[in-house]
Amino acid sequence: MARRPLIAGNWKMHKNHLEGVQLTQKLAWALSREDTDAVEVAVCPPFTALRSVGTLIDGDKLPIALGAQDCHPEAQGAYTGEISASMLAKLGVQYVIVGHSERRQYAGEDDELVNRKARAVLGADMRPIVCVGEVLEERESGRTAEVVQGQVRGSLAGLSGDQVAGLVVAYEPVWAIGTGRAATADDAQETIAVIRSTVADLVGQGAADELRIQYGGSVKSSNAEELATKPDVDGALVGGASLDADEFALIVTGSARRAR
Ligand code: PEP
């Protein structure tokens, strides 16, 4: 079954709204229609740039989806500094990253909270990008599959097959994020296949076959195409390299070549 890969740029805490607009304009110039027909492209700016980048995408009808990097699990309330899923939906946001390893590490997020956030995103008619991935010590002690299976089960707990089929999982080994040391395409494929079979166990093979599972962790134009040759890898979540429009566009082009 053909799944359309998703190449999403996670800008993290980079780019103010003016810089975000410039980067998106430059990216749109660098993308070809052929590429964006073959793969879906998204950018996930910081909250403060969502409105400006979203207005540009809408106004110029750019073939780029808008994503956010996080949200609060509650619909509203006395949560100073937080942003709800419905506030993001109102800005035209289509994807929301939940459970990124930087939030798991710096904000103490666990699978239960990631699950609540994923439900909030789905409840606001957007698609969560649910991040999972092992730390180096877990990989070196041979526990990658066990760790990732636990995160998938916890983060997707209680969701229906239809809900899971429409969301995105990003497999991001923590040791590969921002380090320049990406997983090999074979290692990414192996773990992503484990994720897909865990999802099949949870909600059935049909939903598992529809679910898109990205790889993330030091993706660049030099390794994107090889990753895209792997049958279970449905695109990439890209951090650092998404801040350079030309480099990000090359990642899209390489992935699109394999997806056509
Ligand atoms: C990320 O932030 O999700 C990520 C994968 O970062 P990088 O591409 O910089 O490793």
Side-chain angles (χ1 to χ4, degrees):
M1 117 161 328
R3 292 178 296 262
R4 186 165 173 238
L6 171 66
I7 310 291
N10 172 18
W11 295 359
K12 312 194 189 199
M13 198 171 72
H14 296 286
K15 307 292 178 191
N16 61 39
H17 69 291
L18 301 172
E19 294 163 338
V21 165
Q22 278 177 355
L23 176 57
T24 308
Q25 269 167 335
K26 206 170 167 209
L27 174 63
W29 271 104
L31 294 172
S32 75
R33 177 55 75 172
E34 237 192 333
D35 290 345
T36 54
D37 282 347
V39 302
E40 188 179 0
V41 177
V43 292
C44 304
F47 291 133
T48 51
L50 284 171
R51 174 77 169 152
S52 308
V53 171
T55 301
L56 168 71
I57 289 173
D58 270 3
D60 288 2
K61 299 195 174 16
L62 304 181
I64 297 174
L66 187 63
Q69 299 174 20
D70 187 31
C71 70
H72 194 272
E74 295 298 329
Q76 59 187 354
Y79 301 105
T80 302
E82 298 288 353
I83 306 279
S84 75
S86 68
M87 291 171 184
L88 298 174
K90 203 77 184 161
L91 290 174
V93 168
Q94 292 158 267
Y95 291 97
V96 183
I97 299 170
V98 294
H100 190 280
S101 66
E102 285 152 16
R103 295 218 49 91
R104 290 178 186 263
Q105 184 182 349
Y106 303 130
E109 295 194 4
D110 60 10
D111 295 331
E112 199 243 316
L113 179 57
V114 175
N115 179 250
R116 289 173 59 216
K117 290 186 176 196
R119 287 165 186 264
V121 173
L122 289 164
D125 289 329
M126 300 177 292
R127 296 176 193 269
I129 299 177
V130 179
C131 300
V132 298
E134 80 287 0
V135 300
L136 188 58
E137 187 211 330
E138 292 163 339
R139 165 152 293 252
E140 286 177 343
S141 57
R143 292 193 297 128
T144 297
E146 172 203 329
V147 167
V148 168
Q149 278 170 327
Q151 290 173 331
V152 168
R153 287 185 182 279
S155 304
L156 304 185
L159 300 185
S160 69
D162 282 351
Q163 287 177 315
V164 172
L167 55 74
V168 178
V169 170
Y171 167 56
E172 299 208 304
V174 179
W175 49 268
I177 296 180
T179 59
R181 182 186 163 200
T184 65
D186 284 337
D187 284 347
Q189 164 61 30
E190 188 182 329
T191 306
I192 288 176
V194 168
I195 293 173
R196 202 175 299 285
S197 75
T198 307
V199 169
D201 249 24
L202 265 182
V203 289
Q205 192 64 51
D209 285 342
E210 276 184 58
L211 169 71
R212 289 182 293 177
I213 309 179
Q214 303 171 300
Y215 167 78
S218 296
V219 173
K220 299 189 177 59
S221 58
S222 54
N223 57 12
E225 190 164 349
E226 197 194 347
L227 284 159
T229 63
K230 299 298 170 187
D232 282 295
V233 179
D234 305 316
L237 184 54
V238 184
S242 71
L243 298 173
D244 178 326
D246 293 327
E247 175 67 6
F248 190 57
L250 284 173
I251 291 170
V252 172
T253 304
S255 309
R257 215 175 355 250
R258 295 296 169 167
R260 277 195 281 274

